[in-house]
Amino acid sequence: MNDVHVRIGTHRDSYHTDTGCPALNGKPETFEGIEQMSRADAEAQGLTHCRWCKA
């Protein structure tokens, strides 16, 4: 699957493969939701694979 999940809002530096990842859903004061995009688009925006999702 090429689609990944990215948080909307600030503190956005990673993309996620696990929608239950605490890093994706954390920081509720700046969380504005989740968007789905291709891995290539996420990497083009300078995002890297989440270290928690990699495990």
Side-chain angles (χ1 to χ4, degrees):
M1 176 141 188
N2 264 346
D3 286 342
V4 296
H5 308 279
V6 178
R7 69 181 281 121
I8 301 169
T10 57
H11 304 289
R12 174 177 163 151
D13 56 6
S14 301
Y15 61 83
H16 305 267
T17 52
D18 177 5
T19 56
C21 178
L24 178 61
N25 300 300
K27 300 181 182 77
E29 67 279 1
T30 61
F31 182 73
E32 298 175 17
I34 299 171
E35 67 178 306
Q36 192 171 346
M37 66 177 65
S38 71
R39 185 182 304 254
D41 285 345
E43 290 176 349
Q45 292 181 27
L47 304 175
T48 58
H49 192 185
C50 171
R51 63 186 172 128
W52 299 95
C53 291
K54 286 184 184 179

